[in-house]
Amino acid sequence: MTPITAYSPTYKLGDRVVNRLGYGAMQLAGPGVFGPPKDHAAALAVLREAAASEVDHIDTSDFYGPHVTNQIIREALHPHRDDLVIVTKIGATRGADGSWNPAFSPAKLTKAVHDNLRNLGLDTLNVVNLRCMFDPHHPAEGSIEAPLTALADLQRKGLVRHIGLSHVTPTQIAEGRRICEIVCVQNQYNLAHRDDDELIDALARDGIAYVPYFPLGGFTPLQSSTLSSVAARLGATPMQVALAWLLRRSPNILLIPGTSSVKHLRENLAAGELVLPDDAIEELNGVASAGAI
Ligand SMILES: NC(=O)c1ccc[n+]([C@@H]2O[C@H](COP(=O)([O-])OP(=O)(O)OC[C@H]3O[C@@H](n4cnc5c(N)ncnc54)[C@H](OP(=O)(O)O)[C@@H]3O)[C@@H](O)[C@H]2O)c1
């Protein structure tokens, strides 16, 4: 077994260089990403542990809770360290019943930016993703010109430093890049869900970060006998192997695994030390075609 050559632990995100292992804050809200967390102190502890570790990239949104996750980030970490990149996303609001509603008008996007600024305690948002969830199940075609132009106007006003796109197709990314600079793309991708293989390689060639959401499978964590047997062989957990595989997959992949547990956070960050041998990579590459979930 030949160990694979070490990979770079960092990649650029806008005008910063961040550690490729970051943290996704969505799990800090209540069940269904709605309302307060079951354990407020535990949520603060996760964020403080992340900040005390090498995490310098946190993914969030004001529609988690809504407002709750950003307010917890502010409570745990404000004043924010200069090197911390907080990435947020806009394009939805939450109904009183927890529903997710599209919010793409210039007025709603402007309100979303101001809500994020206030709840995070920032003067400028470092990166804002326009989340184009026209279809909840998979990215669906449709012009993004109107909302992205509105977001680019907010960037010109100095409220937003960099812009990214989420839940988008290659056609929408191409359209977006004609309107403004796109520094990152956030779509669903993991060991078992590899629709974006070609897109990731194309973005890598253009130096654009790819930030997979649900890197561990999201609400249905990854389960696969191959993943479990590779993990057992390497003395790691299946989730660590899933993250290590993503780090190997392409240098432009930035990870934002979500957790509400300090123990899981530590395990996830330790995945950066895990070296996957060639034969393990080959086996893991077969997971998606085997139809594992
Ligand atoms: N752009 C979008 O539309 C979009 C959509 C969804 C998510 N996101 C972003 O992507 C981030 C990541 O997605 P996600 O949090 O939904 O899914 P994920 O990272 O794939 O998985 C999170 C789930 O895995 C569990 N988990 C985490 N670490 C674990 C470990 N070491 N061992 C066992 N279980 C572990 C968590 O439970 P515990 O809490 O018990 O650890 C949670 O149930 C989110 O935080 C959010 O910022 C973006």
Short mmCIF file of all heavy atoms in Angstrom, two decimals, residues 207-275:
data_model
loop_
_atom_site.label_atom_id
_atom_site.label_comp_id
_atom_site.label_asym_id
_atom_site.label_seq_id
_atom_site.Cartn_x
_atom_site.Cartn_y
_atom_site.Cartn_z
N GLY A 207 -9.69 27.95 -10.17
CA GLY A 207 -9.30 28.48 -8.85
C GLY A 207 -10.49 28.90 -7.99
O GLY A 207 -10.37 29.80 -7.16
N ILE A 208 -11.63 28.25 -8.18
CA ILE A 208 -12.83 28.59 -7.39
C ILE A 208 -13.07 27.48 -6.35
O ILE A 208 -13.04 26.29 -6.68
CB ILE A 208 -14.07 28.72 -8.31
CG1 ILE A 208 -13.87 29.91 -9.27
CG2 ILE A 208 -15.36 28.89 -7.50
CD1 ILE A 208 -14.96 30.07 -10.30
N ALA A 209 -13.30 27.89 -5.10
CA ALA A 209 -13.52 26.91 -4.03
C ALA A 209 -14.85 26.19 -4.24
O ALA A 209 -15.84 26.80 -4.63
CB ALA A 209 -13.49 27.61 -2.68
N TYR A 210 -14.86 24.90 -3.92
CA TYR A 210 -16.09 24.10 -3.93
C TYR A 210 -16.32 23.63 -2.50
O TYR A 210 -15.44 23.00 -1.89
CB TYR A 210 -15.97 22.91 -4.88
CG TYR A 210 -17.24 22.09 -4.95
CD1 TYR A 210 -18.24 22.39 -5.87
CD2 TYR A 210 -17.45 21.03 -4.09
CE1 TYR A 210 -19.42 21.66 -5.92
CE2 TYR A 210 -18.63 20.28 -4.12
CZ TYR A 210 -19.60 20.61 -5.05
OH TYR A 210 -20.77 19.88 -5.09
N VAL A 211 -17.49 23.96 -1.94
CA VAL A 211 -17.78 23.69 -0.53
C VAL A 211 -18.98 22.74 -0.47
O VAL A 211 -20.12 23.19 -0.58
CB VAL A 211 -18.08 25.01 0.22
CG1 VAL A 211 -18.18 24.76 1.72
CG2 VAL A 211 -17.03 26.07 -0.09
N PRO A 212 -18.73 21.44 -0.33
CA PRO A 212 -19.87 20.52 -0.35
C PRO A 212 -20.72 20.62 0.89
O PRO A 212 -20.20 20.59 2.01
CB PRO A 212 -19.20 19.13 -0.41
CG PRO A 212 -17.83 19.32 0.11
CD PRO A 212 -17.44 20.75 -0.16
N TYR A 213 -22.03 20.77 0.69
CA TYR A 213 -22.89 20.64 1.87
C TYR A 213 -23.34 19.19 1.99
O TYR A 213 -23.27 18.44 1.03
CB TYR A 213 -24.03 21.66 1.90
CG TYR A 213 -25.21 21.47 0.98
CD1 TYR A 213 -26.19 20.53 1.24
CD2 TYR A 213 -25.37 22.29 -0.13
CE1 TYR A 213 -27.29 20.38 0.42
CE2 TYR A 213 -26.47 22.15 -0.97
CZ TYR A 213 -27.43 21.19 -0.69
OH TYR A 213 -28.51 21.04 -1.51
N PHE A 214 -23.73 18.79 3.20
CA PHE A 214 -23.97 17.38 3.55
C PHE A 214 -22.72 16.52 3.28
O PHE A 214 -22.83 15.43 2.70
CB PHE A 214 -25.16 16.80 2.77
CG PHE A 214 -26.50 17.39 3.11
CD1 PHE A 214 -27.61 17.16 2.30
CD2 PHE A 214 -26.69 18.16 4.26
CE1 PHE A 214 -28.86 17.69 2.60
CE2 PHE A 214 -27.94 18.71 4.57
CZ PHE A 214 -29.03 18.47 3.74
N PRO A 215 -21.53 16.96 3.70
CA PRO A 215 -20.33 16.16 3.44
C PRO A 215 -20.37 14.79 4.13
O PRO A 215 -19.72 13.86 3.69
CB PRO A 215 -19.19 17.01 4.02
CG PRO A 215 -19.86 17.88 5.06
CD PRO A 215 -21.22 18.17 4.50
N LEU A 216 -21.19 14.72 5.21
CA LEU A 216 -21.32 13.44 5.93
C LEU A 216 -22.68 12.80 5.65
O LEU A 216 -23.07 11.86 6.32
CB LEU A 216 -21.17 13.68 7.45
CG LEU A 216 -19.84 14.30 7.88
CD1 LEU A 216 -19.85 14.64 9.36
CD2 LEU A 216 -18.69 13.35 7.55
N GLY A 217 -23.40 13.34 4.68
CA GLY A 217 -24.71 12.78 4.34
C GLY A 217 -25.86 13.61 4.88
O GLY A 217 -27.02 13.30 4.62
N GLY A 218 -25.57 14.63 5.70
CA GLY A 218 -26.62 15.53 6.19
C GLY A 218 -27.56 14.85 7.16
O GLY A 218 -27.13 14.17 8.09
N PHE A 219 -28.87 15.00 6.91
CA PHE A 219 -29.87 14.47 7.84
C PHE A 219 -29.91 12.94 7.82
O PHE A 219 -30.47 12.32 8.72
CB PHE A 219 -31.25 15.05 7.52
CG PHE A 219 -31.31 16.54 7.70
CD1 PHE A 219 -31.36 17.40 6.61
CD2 PHE A 219 -31.27 17.11 8.98
CE1 PHE A 219 -31.39 18.78 6.78
CE2 PHE A 219 -31.30 18.48 9.15
CZ PHE A 219 -31.35 19.32 8.06
N THR A 220 -29.34 12.33 6.79
CA THR A 220 -29.23 10.86 6.73
C THR A 220 -27.75 10.53 6.64
O THR A 220 -27.20 10.34 5.55
CB THR A 220 -29.94 10.31 5.46
OG1 THR A 220 -31.20 10.96 5.34
CG2 THR A 220 -30.13 8.82 5.54
N PRO A 221 -27.04 10.48 7.78
CA PRO A 221 -25.59 10.28 7.73
C PRO A 221 -25.20 9.06 6.88
O PRO A 221 -25.92 8.06 6.82
CB PRO A 221 -25.20 10.11 9.20
CG PRO A 221 -26.24 10.89 9.94
CD PRO A 221 -27.52 10.70 9.16
N LEU A 222 -24.06 9.18 6.19
CA LEU A 222 -23.60 8.15 5.27
C LEU A 222 -23.51 6.79 5.95
O LEU A 222 -23.01 6.69 7.08
CB LEU A 222 -22.19 8.51 4.77
CG LEU A 222 -22.06 9.73 3.86
CD1 LEU A 222 -20.60 10.13 3.72
CD2 LEU A 222 -22.68 9.42 2.50
N GLN A 223 -23.98 5.77 5.27
CA GLN A 223 -23.83 4.40 5.76
C GLN A 223 -23.42 3.54 4.58
O GLN A 223 -24.09 3.54 3.56
CB GLN A 223 -25.17 3.87 6.28
CG GLN A 223 -25.56 4.42 7.63
CD GLN A 223 -26.89 3.84 8.07
OE1 GLN A 223 -27.15 2.66 7.89
NE2 GLN A 223 -27.72 4.69 8.63
N SER A 224 -22.31 2.83 4.73
CA SER A 224 -21.87 1.96 3.66
C SER A 224 -20.91 0.94 4.27
O SER A 224 -20.07 1.29 5.10
CB SER A 224 -21.17 2.81 2.58
OG SER A 224 -19.95 2.26 2.20
N SER A 225 -21.07 -0.31 3.86
CA SER A 225 -20.20 -1.35 4.44
C SER A 225 -18.76 -1.09 4.02
O SER A 225 -17.82 -1.34 4.79
CB SER A 225 -20.67 -2.74 4.00
OG SER A 225 -20.81 -2.76 2.61
N THR A 226 -18.55 -0.56 2.81
CA THR A 226 -17.18 -0.25 2.36
C THR A 226 -16.57 0.82 3.26
O THR A 226 -15.42 0.68 3.71
CB THR A 226 -17.21 0.26 0.90
OG1 THR A 226 -17.87 -0.70 0.10
CG2 THR A 226 -15.81 0.52 0.37
N LEU A 227 -17.34 1.86 3.51
CA LEU A 227 -16.85 2.96 4.36
C LEU A 227 -16.49 2.41 5.74
O LEU A 227 -15.42 2.71 6.29
CB LEU A 227 -17.95 4.02 4.45
CG LEU A 227 -17.65 5.29 5.23
CD1 LEU A 227 -16.44 6.02 4.67
CD2 LEU A 227 -18.87 6.22 5.22
N SER A 228 -17.37 1.57 6.28
CA SER A 228 -17.12 1.02 7.63
C SER A 228 -15.89 0.12 7.63
O SER A 228 -15.08 0.17 8.57
CB SER A 228 -18.33 0.21 8.11
OG SER A 228 -19.43 1.06 8.18
N SER A 229 -15.72 -0.71 6.59
CA SER A 229 -14.58 -1.63 6.62
C SER A 229 -13.27 -0.88 6.40
O SER A 229 -12.26 -1.18 7.05
CB SER A 229 -14.76 -2.80 5.64
OG SER A 229 -14.56 -2.36 4.34
N VAL A 230 -13.27 0.13 5.53
CA VAL A 230 -12.04 0.94 5.36
C VAL A 230 -11.70 1.62 6.68
O VAL A 230 -10.54 1.63 7.12
CB VAL A 230 -12.20 1.98 4.22
CG1 VAL A 230 -11.06 2.99 4.23
CG2 VAL A 230 -12.29 1.29 2.87
N ALA A 231 -12.73 2.18 7.33
CA ALA A 231 -12.50 2.88 8.60
C ALA A 231 -11.92 1.93 9.65
O ALA A 231 -10.95 2.26 10.33
CB ALA A 231 -13.81 3.49 9.09
N ALA A 232 -12.49 0.74 9.75
CA ALA A 232 -12.01 -0.23 10.75
C ALA A 232 -10.54 -0.58 10.47
O ALA A 232 -9.72 -0.65 11.39
CB ALA A 232 -12.89 -1.48 10.72
N ARG A 233 -10.22 -0.77 9.19
CA ARG A 233 -8.84 -1.13 8.81
C ARG A 233 -7.85 -0.04 9.20
O ARG A 233 -6.72 -0.29 9.57
CB ARG A 233 -8.80 -1.34 7.30
CG ARG A 233 -8.10 -2.59 6.90
CD ARG A 233 -8.39 -3.00 5.49
NE ARG A 233 -8.11 -2.01 4.48
CZ ARG A 233 -8.92 -1.78 3.44
NH1 ARG A 233 -10.06 -2.42 3.32
NH2 ARG A 233 -8.60 -0.88 2.53
N LEU A 234 -8.30 1.22 9.07
CA LEU A 234 -7.38 2.35 9.32
C LEU A 234 -7.45 2.83 10.76
O LEU A 234 -6.76 3.79 11.12
CB LEU A 234 -7.73 3.51 8.37
CG LEU A 234 -7.56 3.23 6.88
CD1 LEU A 234 -8.00 4.42 6.05
CD2 LEU A 234 -6.11 2.86 6.54
N GLY A 235 -8.30 2.22 11.56
CA GLY A 235 -8.43 2.65 12.95
C GLY A 235 -9.04 4.04 13.07
O GLY A 235 -8.71 4.82 13.97
N ALA A 236 -9.94 4.35 12.12
CA ALA A 236 -10.60 5.67 12.11
C ALA A 236 -12.11 5.45 12.18
O ALA A 236 -12.58 4.31 12.13
CB ALA A 236 -10.23 6.41 10.84
N THR A 237 -12.87 6.53 12.28
CA THR A 237 -14.33 6.39 12.23
C THR A 237 -14.78 6.55 10.76
O THR A 237 -14.07 7.18 9.96
CB THR A 237 -15.04 7.46 13.08
OG1 THR A 237 -14.89 8.73 12.42
CG2 THR A 237 -14.47 7.54 14.48
N PRO A 238 -15.96 6.00 10.42
CA PRO A 238 -16.45 6.17 9.04
C PRO A 238 -16.54 7.65 8.65
O PRO A 238 -16.22 8.01 7.50
CB PRO A 238 -17.83 5.51 9.09
CG PRO A 238 -17.74 4.50 10.18
CD PRO A 238 -16.84 5.09 11.21
N MET A 239 -16.96 8.51 9.55
CA MET A 239 -17.09 9.94 9.22
C MET A 239 -15.72 10.56 8.94
O MET A 239 -15.58 11.41 8.05
CB MET A 239 -17.80 10.69 10.35
CG MET A 239 -19.23 10.27 10.56
SD MET A 239 -20.19 10.40 9.05
CE MET A 239 -21.65 9.48 9.45
N GLN A 240 -14.70 10.14 9.68
CA GLN A 240 -13.35 10.66 9.41
C GLN A 240 -12.88 10.22 8.02
O GLN A 240 -12.27 11.01 7.30
CB GLN A 240 -12.37 10.15 10.47
CG GLN A 240 -12.55 10.83 11.81
CD GLN A 240 -11.66 10.26 12.89
OE1 GLN A 240 -11.44 9.05 12.96
NE2 GLN A 240 -11.13 11.13 13.73
N VAL A 241 -13.20 8.98 7.66
CA VAL A 241 -12.78 8.50 6.33
C VAL A 241 -13.53 9.28 5.25
O VAL A 241 -12.94 9.68 4.23
CB VAL A 241 -13.04 6.98 6.20
CG1 VAL A 241 -12.79 6.50 4.77
CG2 VAL A 241 -12.15 6.21 7.18
N ALA A 242 -14.82 9.54 5.47
CA ALA A 242 -15.61 10.29 4.47
C ALA A 242 -15.02 11.69 4.27
O ALA A 242 -14.95 12.19 3.14
CB ALA A 242 -17.06 10.39 4.92
N LEU A 243 -14.57 12.31 5.35
CA LEU A 243 -13.98 13.66 5.24
C LEU A 243 -12.60 13.60 4.59
O LEU A 243 -12.26 14.44 3.73
CB LEU A 243 -13.90 14.32 6.62
CG LEU A 243 -15.24 14.64 7.29
CD1 LEU A 243 -15.03 15.16 8.71
CD2 LEU A 243 -16.05 15.64 6.47
N ALA A 244 -11.80 12.59 4.98
CA ALA A 244 -10.46 12.47 4.40
C ALA A 244 -10.56 12.22 2.90
O ALA A 244 -9.75 12.73 2.11
CB ALA A 244 -9.70 11.34 5.10
N TRP A 245 -11.57 11.43 2.49
CA TRP A 245 -11.77 11.18 1.06
C TRP A 245 -12.07 12.50 0.33
O TRP A 245 -11.54 12.75 -0.77
CB TRP A 245 -12.89 10.16 0.85
CG TRP A 245 -13.18 9.88 -0.60
CD1 TRP A 245 -12.55 8.97 -1.40
CD2 TRP A 245 -14.14 10.54 -1.42
NE1 TRP A 245 -13.07 9.03 -2.68
CE2 TRP A 245 -14.05 9.99 -2.72
CE3 TRP A 245 -15.08 11.54 -1.20
CZ2 TRP A 245 -14.85 10.40 -3.78
CZ3 TRP A 245 -15.88 11.96 -2.25
CH2 TRP A 245 -15.76 11.39 -3.53
N LEU A 246 -12.89 13.35 0.92
CA LEU A 246 -13.21 14.64 0.29
C LEU A 246 -11.96 15.52 0.20
O LEU A 246 -11.74 16.21 -0.81
CB LEU A 246 -14.30 15.37 1.09
CG LEU A 246 -15.73 14.86 0.89
CD1 LEU A 246 -16.65 15.42 1.97
CD2 LEU A 246 -16.26 15.23 -0.49
N LEU A 247 -11.15 15.51 1.25
CA LEU A 247 -9.93 16.33 1.22
C LEU A 247 -9.02 15.87 0.09
O LEU A 247 -8.34 16.68 -0.55
CB LEU A 247 -9.18 16.25 2.56
CG LEU A 247 -9.84 16.98 3.73
CD1 LEU A 247 -9.10 16.68 5.03
CD2 LEU A 247 -9.86 18.50 3.49
N ARG A 248 -8.98 14.54 -0.15
CA ARG A 248 -8.15 13.99 -1.23
C ARG A 248 -8.77 14.26 -2.60
O ARG A 248 -8.06 14.30 -3.59
CB ARG A 248 -8.04 12.46 -1.10
CG ARG A 248 -7.29 11.97 0.07
CD ARG A 248 -5.82 12.27 0.03
NE ARG A 248 -5.29 12.32 -1.33
CZ ARG A 248 -4.09 12.78 -1.62
NH1 ARG A 248 -3.31 13.22 -0.65
NH2 ARG A 248 -3.65 12.79 -2.85
N ARG A 249 -10.09 14.38 -2.65
CA ARG A 249 -10.81 14.39 -3.93
C ARG A 249 -10.35 15.54 -4.84
O ARG A 249 -10.14 15.35 -6.02
CB ARG A 249 -12.33 14.45 -3.66
CG ARG A 249 -13.22 14.72 -4.86
CD ARG A 249 -13.12 13.64 -5.93
NE ARG A 249 -13.88 14.02 -7.11
CZ ARG A 249 -13.45 14.87 -8.05
NH1 ARG A 249 -12.24 15.43 -7.95
NH2 ARG A 249 -14.21 15.16 -9.09
N SER A 250 -10.17 16.73 -4.27
CA SER A 250 -9.73 17.86 -5.09
C SER A 250 -9.22 18.96 -4.16
O SER A 250 -9.81 19.19 -3.10
CB SER A 250 -10.90 18.38 -5.93
OG SER A 250 -10.46 19.39 -6.81
N PRO A 251 -8.14 19.65 -4.58
CA PRO A 251 -7.55 20.65 -3.67
C PRO A 251 -8.44 21.85 -3.41
O PRO A 251 -8.23 22.57 -2.43
CB PRO A 251 -6.27 21.09 -4.41
CG PRO A 251 -6.48 20.67 -5.83
CD PRO A 251 -7.38 19.49 -5.81
N ASN A 252 -9.46 22.07 -4.27
CA ASN A 252 -10.33 23.25 -4.07
C ASN A 252 -11.52 22.94 -3.17
O ASN A 252 -12.38 23.80 -2.98
CB ASN A 252 -10.83 23.80 -5.42
CG ASN A 252 -11.70 22.82 -6.19
OD1 ASN A 252 -11.51 21.61 -6.09
ND2 ASN A 252 -12.65 23.32 -6.96
N ILE A 253 -11.59 21.73 -2.61
CA ILE A 253 -12.71 21.39 -1.72
C ILE A 253 -12.44 21.89 -0.30
O ILE A 253 -11.42 21.55 0.30
CB ILE A 253 -12.98 19.87 -1.72
CG1 ILE A 253 -13.60 19.46 -3.06
CG2 ILE A 253 -13.90 19.48 -0.57
CD1 ILE A 253 -14.03 18.00 -3.15
N LEU A 254 -13.36 22.72 0.20
CA LEU A 254 -13.32 23.19 1.59
C LEU A 254 -14.43 22.49 2.35
O LEU A 254 -15.56 22.42 1.86
CB LEU A 254 -13.55 24.70 1.66
CG LEU A 254 -12.53 25.59 0.96
CD1 LEU A 254 -12.96 27.06 1.07
CD2 LEU A 254 -11.15 25.40 1.56
N LEU A 255 -14.14 21.97 3.54
CA LEU A 255 -15.12 21.18 4.27
C LEU A 255 -15.79 21.97 5.38
O LEU A 255 -15.12 22.70 6.12
CB LEU A 255 -14.45 19.94 4.86
CG LEU A 255 -13.90 18.95 3.83
CD1 LEU A 255 -13.33 17.73 4.52
CD2 LEU A 255 -14.97 18.55 2.83
N ILE A 256 -17.11 21.79 5.49
CA ILE A 256 -17.89 22.43 6.56
C ILE A 256 -18.79 21.40 7.24
O ILE A 256 -20.00 21.58 7.32
CB ILE A 256 -18.72 23.62 6.02
CG1 ILE A 256 -19.53 23.20 4.78
CG2 ILE A 256 -17.82 24.81 5.73
CD1 ILE A 256 -20.66 24.18 4.44
N PRO A 257 -18.21 20.30 7.75
CA PRO A 257 -19.06 19.31 8.42
C PRO A 257 -19.80 19.96 9.59
O PRO A 257 -19.23 20.79 10.31
CB PRO A 257 -18.08 18.24 8.91
CG PRO A 257 -16.74 18.91 8.95
CD PRO A 257 -16.78 19.96 7.87
N GLY A 258 -21.06 19.56 9.76
CA GLY A 258 -21.86 20.15 10.83
C GLY A 258 -21.96 19.20 12.00
O GLY A 258 -22.09 17.99 11.82
N THR A 259 -21.89 19.74 13.19
CA THR A 259 -22.12 18.93 14.38
C THR A 259 -22.55 19.81 15.54
O THR A 259 -22.20 21.00 15.60
CB THR A 259 -20.87 18.12 14.77
OG1 THR A 259 -21.18 17.35 15.93
CG2 THR A 259 -19.67 19.00 15.06
N SER A 260 -23.31 19.18 16.45
CA SER A 260 -23.70 19.89 17.67
C SER A 260 -22.90 19.34 18.86
O SER A 260 -23.24 19.61 20.00
CB SER A 260 -25.20 19.69 17.91
OG SER A 260 -25.49 18.30 17.91
N SER A 261 -21.87 18.56 18.56
CA SER A 261 -21.14 17.85 19.62
C SER A 261 -19.64 18.17 19.56
O SER A 261 -19.01 18.08 18.50
CB SER A 261 -21.39 16.35 19.43
OG SER A 261 -20.24 15.58 19.63
N VAL A 262 -19.08 18.53 20.72
CA VAL A 262 -17.63 18.81 20.76
C VAL A 262 -16.84 17.56 20.40
O VAL A 262 -15.83 17.62 19.69
CB VAL A 262 -17.23 19.34 22.17
CG1 VAL A 262 -15.73 19.37 22.33
CG2 VAL A 262 -17.82 20.74 22.39
N LYS A 263 -17.32 16.40 20.87
CA LYS A 263 -16.62 15.14 20.57
C LYS A 263 -16.56 14.93 19.05
O LYS A 263 -15.50 14.63 18.49
CB LYS A 263 -17.35 13.98 21.26
CG LYS A 263 -16.78 12.62 20.96
CD LYS A 263 -17.53 11.54 21.75
CE LYS A 263 -17.06 10.13 21.42
NZ LYS A 263 -17.55 9.64 20.14
N HIS A 264 -17.68 15.08 18.38
CA HIS A 264 -17.71 14.89 16.93
C HIS A 264 -16.86 15.95 16.23
O HIS A 264 -16.19 15.66 15.24
CB HIS A 264 -19.15 14.92 16.40
CG HIS A 264 -19.93 13.68 16.73
ND1 HIS A 264 -21.28 13.58 16.57
CD2 HIS A 264 -19.51 12.47 17.21
CE1 HIS A 264 -21.69 12.37 16.93
NE2 HIS A 264 -20.63 11.69 17.34
N LEU A 265 -16.91 17.18 16.73
CA LEU A 265 -16.09 18.24 16.13
C LEU A 265 -14.61 17.83 16.17
O LEU A 265 -13.90 17.94 15.16
CB LEU A 265 -16.29 19.56 16.88
CG LEU A 265 -15.38 20.69 16.40
CD1 LEU A 265 -15.87 21.28 15.09
CD2 LEU A 265 -15.28 21.80 17.45
N ARG A 266 -14.15 17.37 17.31
CA ARG A 266 -12.73 16.97 17.44
C ARG A 266 -12.42 15.82 16.49
O ARG A 266 -11.37 15.82 15.84
CB ARG A 266 -12.42 16.55 18.88
CG ARG A 266 -12.41 17.73 19.83
CD ARG A 266 -11.88 17.32 21.21
NE ARG A 266 -11.98 18.44 22.12
CZ ARG A 266 -12.47 18.37 23.36
NH1 ARG A 266 -12.90 17.22 23.84
NH2 ARG A 266 -12.50 19.45 24.12
N GLU A 267 -13.34 14.85 16.41
CA GLU A 267 -13.11 13.72 15.48
C GLU A 267 -13.02 14.23 14.04
O GLU A 267 -12.15 13.82 13.28
CB GLU A 267 -14.29 12.74 15.56
CG GLU A 267 -14.24 11.80 16.74
CD GLU A 267 -15.48 10.90 16.79
OE1 GLU A 267 -16.19 10.76 15.76
OE2 GLU A 267 -15.75 10.38 17.87
N ASN A 268 -13.91 15.16 13.69
CA ASN A 268 -13.93 15.66 12.31
C ASN A 268 -12.65 16.41 11.98
O ASN A 268 -12.08 16.26 10.90
CB ASN A 268 -15.16 16.54 12.08
CG ASN A 268 -16.45 15.76 12.22
OD1 ASN A 268 -16.45 14.53 12.21
ND2 ASN A 268 -17.57 16.46 12.36
N LEU A 269 -12.17 17.21 12.93
CA LEU A 269 -10.95 17.97 12.66
C LEU A 269 -9.74 17.04 12.55
O LEU A 269 -8.81 17.29 11.78
CB LEU A 269 -10.72 19.03 13.74
CG LEU A 269 -11.79 20.14 13.80
CD1 LEU A 269 -11.50 21.13 14.91
CD2 LEU A 269 -11.90 20.86 12.46
N ALA A 270 -9.79 15.93 13.30
CA ALA A 270 -8.68 14.97 13.25
C ALA A 270 -8.61 14.25 11.89
O ALA A 270 -7.58 13.65 11.55
CB ALA A 270 -8.80 13.96 14.38
N ALA A 271 -9.69 14.34 11.11
CA ALA A 271 -9.68 13.70 9.78
C ALA A 271 -8.60 14.30 8.89
O ALA A 271 -8.15 13.66 7.93
CB ALA A 271 -11.05 13.84 9.12
N GLY A 272 -8.18 15.51 9.20
CA GLY A 272 -7.12 16.15 8.42
C GLY A 272 -5.79 15.42 8.52
O GLY A 272 -4.92 15.57 7.66
N GLU A 273 -5.63 14.61 9.57
CA GLU A 273 -4.38 13.86 9.77
C GLU A 273 -4.43 12.47 9.15
O GLU A 273 -3.44 11.75 9.14
CB GLU A 273 -4.11 13.68 11.28
CG GLU A 273 -4.13 14.95 12.11
CD GLU A 273 -3.08 15.93 11.64
OE1 GLU A 273 -1.95 15.48 11.36
OE2 GLU A 273 -3.41 17.13 11.53
N LEU A 274 -5.62 12.08 8.68
CA LEU A 274 -5.79 10.71 8.21
C LEU A 274 -5.28 10.56 6.77
O LEU A 274 -5.75 11.25 5.87
CB LEU A 274 -7.28 10.34 8.29
CG LEU A 274 -7.67 8.92 7.91
CD1 LEU A 274 -7.03 7.91 8.86
CD2 LEU A 274 -9.20 8.78 7.97
N VAL A 275 -4.33 9.65 6.60
CA VAL A 275 -3.81 9.41 5.25
C VAL A 275 -4.51 8.18 4.67
O VAL A 275 -4.49 7.10 5.27
CB VAL A 275 -2.28 9.16 5.30
CG1 VAL A 275 -1.75 8.82 3.91
CG2 VAL A 275 -1.59 10.39 5.85
#
